[in-house]
Amino acid sequence: MPGPHDLFVRYTFGQPERAAAELRAVLPPRVVSQVDWSTLQPESGSVVDPELRETESDLLFSARLRGGRPLLFYVLMEHQSSVDSWMALRMLRYVVRQLEHWRKANPESKKLPVVVPLVMYHGPDGTWTAPRRVEELFELPDEAEEKEVWRALVPRFEYLLDDLTAERAEALMARPGPPLARLAWLVLRYGRTEELANRLPTWTALFAQVRAAPDGTENLKVVIRYLLLVGDKTTRRTAGQVLHSVMDTQQAEELMRSWGEALMERGHRRGLRQGRAEGRAEGLLRILTARGLLVDEQARQRILTCRDVATLDKWLDRAVTATTLSEVWEDPAQ
């Protein structure tokens, strides 16, 4: 079942004009000038691993360069609270999958299209710190002259990064693009921070621009539902005040009534996530016991009280080969 981040991202940036705004904000200017943006269109073919659906969503677009050559844009949205140090390897795998799909669909072609990989991050716990180049993940000899020789032998790959957590609100507001794209950047940037409720009134003019655009009411409904699912009571009250300032009372009340449904949805999702976490925690304890590792009460409580499914999955992967509990907790990439 898709989560609130996935639904919001796909609704907002799955549309070519808003996707183009995101890509233009990150791509080098010379590349932007060579793309025929009128040809940008969404493509099917998600390659995110099923177990990562709660922490990621991905979008694929195709376009043409001004000379007519094909181009693919692979956009991954990272939702998880912690930075994944292996993202470069995962992105390389995703891009290779896209190229394999393209080869099957275009067997007559002798060349591959360029695939532009982009990670857009909005985690709540600080800026992105993971390597963006896959060659940085390899353990190479320490000697400088030897390292260059070895670096030439490993794969070279780099993804673009749009780290929303590193951007100021003024910079996001000033980005060119449709009003909904700019509002989405701000909401994603501050949606899981304590600043959200205080910042919402400062975006009233932008809310009004979204309302005035085609499909404005529907767009606002999606934004409000997302704010409710990720925000608190103060956010809900403040968002209601903003709504009343950009539309008439009846329309605002209709949108506010949908909050009850969203609250029920959030409770349902929370229950499902808790169930998945409990199942993984019990499975992890079984693996550790079967492998003869001593699990003291402190470790047992650490496992049973963890509610982050991505963290539990990492512990499960490490438990298969770990010889001590410390190897289960520690990231081997650190």
Side-chain angles (χ1 to χ4, degrees):
M1 181 181 294
H5 306 302
D6 180 75
L7 292 173
F8 183 58
V9 168
R10 289 186 177 279
Y11 179 88
T12 304
F13 295 105
Q15 191 265 356
E17 184 183 9
R18 297 191 288 266
E22 167 61 22
L23 293 166
R24 286 171 176 267
V26 182
L27 288 169
R30 291 192 63 179
V31 174
V32 171
S33 67
Q34 294 180 48
V35 177
D36 182 356
W37 293 101
S38 67
T39 66
L40 187 71
Q41 61 181 8
E43 300 285 345
S44 60
S46 172
V47 294
V48 165
D49 296 322
E51 65 270 19
L52 297 175
R53 285 291 176 196
E54 289 296 315
T55 60
E56 297 176 351
S57 57
D58 61 344
L59 294 167
L60 180 67
F61 294 90
S62 65
R64 294 275 174 180
L65 295 175
R66 298 201 178 276
R69 285 173 293 179
L71 181 67
L72 293 176
F73 294 103
Y74 180 67
V75 181
L76 183 81
M77 186 64 169
E78 183 77 1
H79 311 306
Q80 65 188 29
S81 58
S82 59
V83 174
D84 185 355
S85 60
W86 294 101
M87 179 56 75
L89 182 60
R90 279 172 39 205
M91 285 297 286
L92 174 59
R93 182 169 71 246
Y94 294 160
V95 168
V96 169
R97 288 182 189 174
Q98 295 290 4
L99 291 173
E100 289 173 342
H101 292 325
W102 194 90
R103 278 193 63 199
K104 291 179 180 179
N106 300 270
E108 76 289 347
S109 180
K110 303 300 182 183
K111 296 285 186 178
L112 295 171
V114 173
V115 180
V116 179
L118 166 63
V119 173
M120 183 161 51
Y121 174 65
H122 70 120
D125 294 336
T127 58
W128 190 259
T129 56
R132 289 171 51 192
R133 296 182 177 90
V134 75
E135 55 262 39
E136 295 179 34
L137 303 178
F138 289 86
E139 186 175 5
L140 303 178
D142 293 332
E143 297 79 5
E145 55 186 30
E146 292 291 331
K147 185 171 292 188
E148 290 304 316
V149 173
W150 283 97
R151 185 173 286 121
L153 301 178
V154 301
R156 296 195 175 189
F157 170 85
E158 181 178 358
Y159 59 87
L160 296 173
L161 175 68
D162 187 10
D163 185 355
L164 297 178
T165 66
E167 296 288 341
R168 296 175 59 86
E170 295 79 9
L172 294 174
M173 188 85 75
R175 284 185 176 185
L180 181 57
R182 287 183 280 129
L183 183 57
W185 285 321
L186 291 165
V187 167
L188 289 168
R189 164 66 177 87
Y190 294 100
R192 290 184 287 176
T193 71
E194 296 179 355
E195 300 179 56
L196 178 61
N198 290 331
R199 287 188 175 272
L200 280 174
T202 69
W203 305 337
T204 299
L206 189 53
F207 272 90
Q209 293 175 31
V210 172
R211 170 70 179 85
D215 299 324
T217 300
E218 183 63 27
N219 292 342
L220 275 186
K221 183 177 180 180
V222 172
V223 173
I224 293 300
R225 284 179 65 86
Y226 179 73
L227 288 172
L228 173 64
L229 291 170
V230 301
D232 54 18
K233 292 182 179 180
T234 304
T235 297
R236 182 162 64 251
R237 182 174 61 253
T238 306
Q241 294 169 354
V242 173
L243 271 184
H244 278 86
S245 67
V246 301
M247 59 174 51
D248 62 53
T249 301
Q250 181 179 352
Q251 290 176 321
E253 292 297 331
E254 289 176 356
L255 283 183
M256 292 173 66
R257 277 196 294 271
S258 70
W259 287 354
E261 298 176 5
L263 278 172
M264 293 175 62
E265 179 183 344
R266 180 171 62 177
H268 178 60
R269 293 183 189 280
R270 185 175 297 166
L272 289 176
R273 284 196 299 270
Q274 183 175 353
R276 285 195 294 271
E278 290 175 352
R280 282 167 169 78
E282 292 173 1
L284 176 56
L285 288 173
R286 291 194 189 100
I287 290 176
L288 294 174
T289 301
R291 300 199 68 248
L293 295 179
L294 179 62
V295 182
D296 58 25
E297 185 59 26
Q298 182 178 2
R300 179 181 175 82
Q301 289 303 315
R302 180 176 183 179
I303 294 170
L304 291 176
T305 57
C306 181
R307 288 293 176 264
D308 185 80
V309 174
T311 298
L312 287 166
D313 281 341
K314 291 179 182 179
W315 291 348
L316 278 165
D317 290 340
R318 297 170 193 161
V320 175
T321 58
T323 57
T324 65
L325 276 180
S326 61
E327 293 177 15
V328 175
W329 315 135
E330 295 170 2
D331 187 339
Q334 296 295 323

